[in-house]
């Protein structure tokens, strides 16, 4: 099967898998992603290896799960010490460059790109060290809203950054040249702050927005682990009114359309350069966003809104339609190396192979050891079922075919004991959960000590959204 000569990989940040027209969302407008999906394959059950930025991106770089990368949280970024897909492409002699957000340690690390254009890395080269304090007795509850003080229509440093990244990507494609290339483009929308240019905000009048799903005000009771995690940075509690909440939701959906707009500009530039017919395009995101479901915002749990990701591949000889096999970002890693005949890195499987040979019971793992987690948590998706294992807490088990909104926990139903036991065995075959949990806490304790203890750690890292890099056009 012939591949496109080139590969364009666009990765967004915090894009809920369901927040696309092609995924059937009731209000979100994403015409350019819909068009991309229409000429390729959309993976309907794609997941992140960890529902938080830095660990997910380290796993994407290496094709390895979090318990192998040791990138447990947002203060443990990828450094280039473990082989990446970029290293494999460089060894193959393929031109490999990045534009935009990477969320690695710094630009001095050899992470596998020939050039990094305007990259966003973790703040100060260290990231959110304060969030590595996970014990309830020593952690510090965030006093400011995670989403930022400003909500609604306007511009932010993030929308400015995306506009600049998009412009640079279009310019790069205009001058791409004849040799095979791989270009990674990292956009930050729809990651908070929830501020979006007015025309995109106006797409979502408040009276058109769907009602909040499973909100605590309506009687929903959060799982105890989730309640403790959310208490660390409780955005919902900072809303002044229901109108304020509606502004946040309209802004998130507006940012999804803003993202789509920028993807459209990049794909138009690809077409303008005459490269569409010989370029494979992959679009995905590092994780999702709860966007108000269960009274939660941001990511950091294993409900579909947070842990599922959009994943689309289109290009020469890519089948048109959908693929229901469970996949994750490790499979994207494998796809990037396979496309150029480079040496594989990590444990994933090329998406083309999965399209041709679907696996209805393929297991996918995700895990979380980061901000707000009082213990490690793990997710296994296999077939129609999803198991969520919280260390020291009761499980959750969902039948995603019968209950796609995850409203009925089957973990305490004796009729599903055999299913739960089978999924636990599969989970442990993929990851020793006790060992991973202990190792994460040990590494975080060592990190805190390295930085001088609790008080020093509390001062290290961005309070929420990582600041974008300064730009000659924008200034600091």
């Amino acid at each position: 099967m012939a591949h496109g000569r080139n590969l364009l990989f666009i990765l967004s940040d915090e894009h809920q898998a369901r927040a696309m027209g092609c995924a059937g969302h009731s209000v979100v407008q994403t015409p350019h992603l819909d068009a991309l999906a229409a000429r390729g394959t959309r993976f309907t059950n794609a997941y992140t290896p960890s529902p938080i930025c830095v660990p997910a991106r380290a796993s994407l770089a290496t094709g390895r799960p979090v318990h192998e990368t040791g990138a447990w949280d947002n203060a443990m970024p990828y450094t280039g010490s473990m082989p990446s897909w970029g290293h494999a492409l460089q060894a193959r002699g393929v031109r490999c460059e990045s534009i935009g957000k990477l969320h690695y340690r710094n630009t001095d690390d050899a992470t596998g790109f020939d050039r990094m254009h305007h990259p966003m890395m973790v703040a100060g080269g260290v990231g959110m060290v304060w969030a590595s304090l996970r014990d309830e007795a020593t952690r510090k509850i965030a006093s400011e809203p995670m989403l930022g003080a400003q909500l609604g229509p306007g511009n932010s440093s993030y929308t400015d950054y995306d506009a600049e990244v998009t412009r640079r990507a279009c310019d790069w494609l205009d001058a791409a040249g004849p040799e095979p290339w791989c270009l990674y483009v990292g956009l930050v929308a729809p990651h908070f702050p929830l501020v979006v240019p007015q025309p995109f905000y106006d797409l979502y009048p408040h009276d058109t927005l769907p009602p909040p799903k499973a909100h605590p005000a309506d009687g929903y009771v959060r799982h105890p682990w989730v309640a403790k995690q959310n208490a660390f940075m409780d955005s919902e509690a900072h809303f002044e009114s229901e109108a304020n909440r509606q502004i946040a939701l309209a802004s998130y959906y507006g940012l999804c359309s803003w993202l789509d707009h920028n993807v459209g500009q990049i794909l138009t530039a690809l077409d303008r350069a005459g490269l569409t017919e010989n370029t494979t395009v992959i679009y995905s995101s590092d994780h999702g966003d709860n966007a108000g479901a269960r009274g939660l915002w941001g990511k950091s749990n294993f409900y579909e809104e947070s842990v599922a990701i959009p994943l689309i591949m289109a290009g020469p000889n890519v089948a048109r339609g959908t693929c229901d096999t469970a996949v994750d970002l490790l499979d994207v890693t494998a796809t990037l190396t396979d496309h150029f005949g480079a040496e594989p890195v990590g444990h994933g499987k090329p998406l083309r192979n999965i399209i041709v040979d679907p696996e209805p019971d393929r297991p996918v793992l995700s895990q979380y050891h980061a901000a707000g987690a009082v213990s490690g948590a793990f997710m296994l998706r296999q077939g129609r079922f999803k198991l969520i294992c919280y260390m020291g807490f009761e499980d959750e088990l969902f039948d995603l075919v019968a209950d796609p909104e995850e409203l009925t926990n089957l973990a305490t139903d004796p009729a599903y004991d055999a299913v739960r036991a089978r999924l636990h065995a599969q989970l442990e075959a993929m990851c020793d959960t006790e060992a991973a949990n202990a190792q994460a806490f040990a590494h975080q304790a060592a990190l805190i000590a390295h930085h001088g203890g609790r008080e020093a750690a509390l001062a290290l890292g961005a309070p929420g959204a990582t600041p974008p890099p300064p730009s000659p056009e924008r200034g600091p």
Side-chain angles (χ1 to χ4, degrees):
M1 179 184 294
H3 296 187
R5 181 182 65 196
N6 312 306
L7 195 147
L8 171 63
F9 177 26
I10 304 174
L11 187 74
S12 65
D13 198 317
E14 209 151 307
H15 187 191
Q16 185 185 112
R18 295 171 170 175
M20 298 188 294
C22 57
H25 198 279
S26 60
V27 298
V28 173
Q29 300 176 43
T30 53
H32 302 290
L33 289 172
D34 298 350
L36 184 68
R39 66 178 183 90
T41 297
R42 182 174 65 87
F43 295 83
T44 62
N45 293 304
Y47 292 94
T48 179
S50 184
I52 194 167
C53 297
V54 169
R57 290 162 181 271
S59 288
L60 172 61
T62 61
R64 296 182 178 276
V66 173
H67 64 278
E68 291 188 16
T69 66
W72 304 105
D73 63 25
N74 274 1
M76 299 180 180
Y78 179 60
T79 65
S81 60
M82 187 175 286
S84 72
W85 61 266
H87 292 137
L89 266 56
Q90 287 180 320
R92 183 70 172 166
V94 177
R95 180 186 179 192
C96 184
E97 300 189 20
S98 75
I99 304 173
K101 181 172 182 177
L102 288 167
H103 233 190
Y104 296 167
R105 182 171 63 179
N106 58 48
T107 56
D108 295 331
D109 292 329
T111 53
F113 295 106
D114 302 335
R115 289 190 65 190
M116 292 178 283
H117 305 264
H118 206 42
M120 181 189 293
M121 302 299 197
V122 298
V126 296
M128 295 169 59
V129 180
W130 60 274
S132 299
L133 290 158
R134 292 169 54 200
D135 185 89
E136 283 188 279
T138 60
R139 70 182 188 173
K140 182 179 180 181
I141 301 297
S143 59
E144 299 295 326
M146 178 187 68
L147 302 179
Q150 183 185 358
L151 299 170
N155 290 328
S156 72
S157 62
Y158 266 30
T159 56
D160 289 346
Y161 181 72
D162 267 357
E164 187 172 335
V165 168
T166 298
R167 179 185 60 76
R168 293 189 185 212
C170 293
D171 290 346
W172 194 98
L173 291 168
D174 285 339
E179 76 273 22
W181 49 261
C182 180
L183 177 65
Y184 163 94
V185 180
L187 299 168
V188 291
H191 193 289
F192 59 86
L194 297 182
V195 177
V196 64
Q198 185 81 52
F200 298 92
Y201 182 84
D202 290 344
L203 293 173
Y204 301 99
H206 292 187
D207 60 1
T208 68
L209 302 179
K213 164 184 158 181
H215 198 278
D218 299 324
Y220 175 79
V221 179
R222 294 181 183 131
H223 185 282
W225 185 96
V226 175
K228 288 177 181 291
Q229 191 286 321
N230 182 66
F232 188 60
M233 292 191 290
D234 189 351
S235 293
E236 184 88 3
H238 285 92
F239 290 144
E240 298 173 358
S241 64
E242 176 59 22
N244 206 226
R245 187 186 186 283
Q246 294 286 83
I247 292 170
L249 187 57
S251 298
Y252 179 77
Y253 291 158
L255 284 168
C256 292
S257 293
W258 163 250
L259 157 73
D260 180 78
H261 168 75
N262 289 320
V263 169
Q265 288 192 310
I266 295 167
L267 295 180
T268 296
L270 184 75
D271 203 46
R272 184 172 61 241
L275 296 168
T276 299
E277 295 304 316
N278 56 19
T279 300
T280 296
V281 179
I282 297 174
Y283 169 74
S284 192
S285 197
D286 55 353
H287 49 72
D289 191 300
N290 292 287
R294 300 174 179 82
L296 306 172
W297 295 82
K299 50 276 186 182
S300 306
N301 61 56
F302 297 109
Y303 302 119
E304 290 292 283
E305 290 84 5
S306 168
V307 73
I309 55 174
L311 179 56
I312 299 167
M313 183 168 73
N317 294 310
V318 176
R320 297 187 179 191
T322 57
C323 177
D324 298 333
T325 297
V327 296
D328 63 12
L329 289 176
L330 277 59
D331 301 315
V332 175
T333 311
T335 303
L336 296 170
T337 55
D338 174 74
H339 180 91
F340 294 101
E343 190 71 22
V345 296
H347 309 312
K349 183 175 181 179
L351 294 173
R352 287 178 181 271
N353 296 1
I354 293 171
I355 294 170
V356 172
D357 186 18
E359 301 174 49
D361 291 322
R362 185 172 191 253
V364 167
L365 167 72
S366 187
Q367 56 192 298
Y368 188 82
H369 310 271
V374 296
S375 67
F378 303 83
M379 182 213 81
L380 182 84
R381 171 71 194 271
Q382 187 172 34
R384 66 189 294 156
F385 293 103
K386 175 200 282 188
L387 173 71
I388 307 176
C389 172
Y390 305 99
M391 307 303 290
F393 295 82
E394 294 294 324
D395 292 341
E396 288 189 291
L397 176 68
F398 298 104
D399 180 342
L400 294 180
V401 174
D403 178 29
E405 298 300 327
E406 301 170 289
L407 299 176
T408 303
N409 177 18
L410 303 173
T412 57
D413 186 338
Y416 290 88
D417 284 351
V419 171
R420 192 160 66 96
R422 172 173 58 81
L423 294 178
H424 264 289
Q426 180 64 60
L427 172 60
E428 293 299 328
M430 298 177 75
C431 173
D432 183 332
T433 57
E434 292 282 356
N437 183 51
Q439 192 173 39
F441 275 109
H443 287 181
Q444 285 159 336
L447 179 72
I448 298 299
H450 170 76
H451 285 294
R454 178 179 182 274
E455 295 307 314
L458 288 175
L460 288 173
T466 299
S471 163
E473 290 88 344
R474 289 190 296 107

